[in-house]
Amino acid sequence: MRRIVIFGAGGRTGRTAAAEASARGHHVTPLRSADADITDPQAVARAVLGHDVAIAAVAPAGADPRAFFQAAAEGLVTGLQNAGVARLVWVGIASLLPDASGVPALDTDDFPVEYRPFSLGHRTALETIKASGLQWTAVSPAGDFAPGTSSAGGYALTHIGDLTTRINRTDHARALVDIAERANLVGEHLGVTPLSPDAGVSVAGRGGDR
């Protein structure tokens, strides 16, 4: 059993991850933005003290995304370090994953202008986390979430972004908690895709493979 603190538990991704972790018997501290300001290192340190791992699934609520994500990453990193918590699972974004040609969607000419500030904010946050010395793993959909769809019963991990893919939040939460439970996959940004119909039992996220 691990002691897991989840920032952003008021949102769908964080809430689903909290439910998944609790169902596995972990001690879970779910935090909404009103419970702990992730941009405040002291608030973060108080919230994470005594935990083994932090999961962060946060987004700006009306704030400028570039400013928010930079402040969130800085507050999170400093707070975790001050509290002596080394393991971080960060919910990232698919536009930073390289496509099959090795180019992140954010860096392509046809990436939508309206999505750039959000993606650039995520890039700034990830750069801060990478430089922190924490045992971090970034986990995002390989494409996007699939609202209102049923679970595929598992997932697969990839280093390749594909903005056409869709993952159910329950299956994405399984990936988040699986990675929080493990000591490997540190220093990687991973995309989560649904199981294909012919996937074998060895695919990550199949029941029992935790």
Side-chain angles (χ1 to χ4, degrees):
M1 184 184 75
R2 283 172 172 74
R3 294 162 296 178
I4 301 175
V5 58
I6 300 180
F7 292 90
R12 288 173 292 177
T13 301
R15 185 167 59 247
T16 308
E20 175 69 19
S22 294
R24 298 190 192 187
H26 295 299
H27 175 83
V28 180
T29 303
L31 299 174
R32 300 165 299 175
S33 57
D35 300 320
D37 180 0
I38 198 172
T39 68
D40 179 350
Q42 292 183 341
V44 171
R46 288 193 298 268
V48 305
L49 189 65
H51 290 80
D52 302 308
V53 55
I55 297 175
V58 297
D64 173 71
R66 296 187 68 173
F68 170 79
F69 281 117
Q70 179 175 354
E74 291 173 352
L76 186 61
V77 165
T78 302
L80 287 170
Q81 291 172 334
N82 289 345
V85 179
R87 186 72 174 110
L88 170 64
V89 180
W90 171 263
V91 178
I93 193 169
S95 57
L96 302 186
L97 287 168
D99 62 17
S101 66
V103 179
L106 175 58
D107 296 332
T108 60
D109 293 337
D110 57 353
F111 189 75
V113 174
E114 61 269 28
Y115 299 144
R116 286 187 63 79
F118 197 86
S119 292
L120 287 169
H122 262 284
R123 173 172 282 173
T124 298
L126 189 55
E127 289 172 350
T128 298
I129 291 167
K130 284 180 177 180
S132 68
L134 293 174
Q135 299 171 17
W136 64 271
T137 308
V139 185
S140 69
D144 203 352
F145 289 109
T149 61
S150 59
S151 168
Y155 64 88
L157 297 175
T158 179
H159 290 93
I160 303 300
D162 177 359
L163 299 187
T164 67
T165 66
R166 297 292 181 268
I167 185 72
N168 176 273
R169 289 185 189 274
T170 298
D171 294 328
H172 184 265
R174 287 174 174 157
L176 287 174
V177 180
D178 279 346
I179 290 169
E181 291 176 342
R182 298 168 180 166
N184 61 348
L185 302 177
V186 170
E188 299 188 54
H189 180 188
L190 301 167
V192 187
T193 64
L195 286 179
S196 61
D198 57 349
V201 294
S202 63
V203 175
R206 177 72 73 176
D209 183 15
R210 295 176 179 172

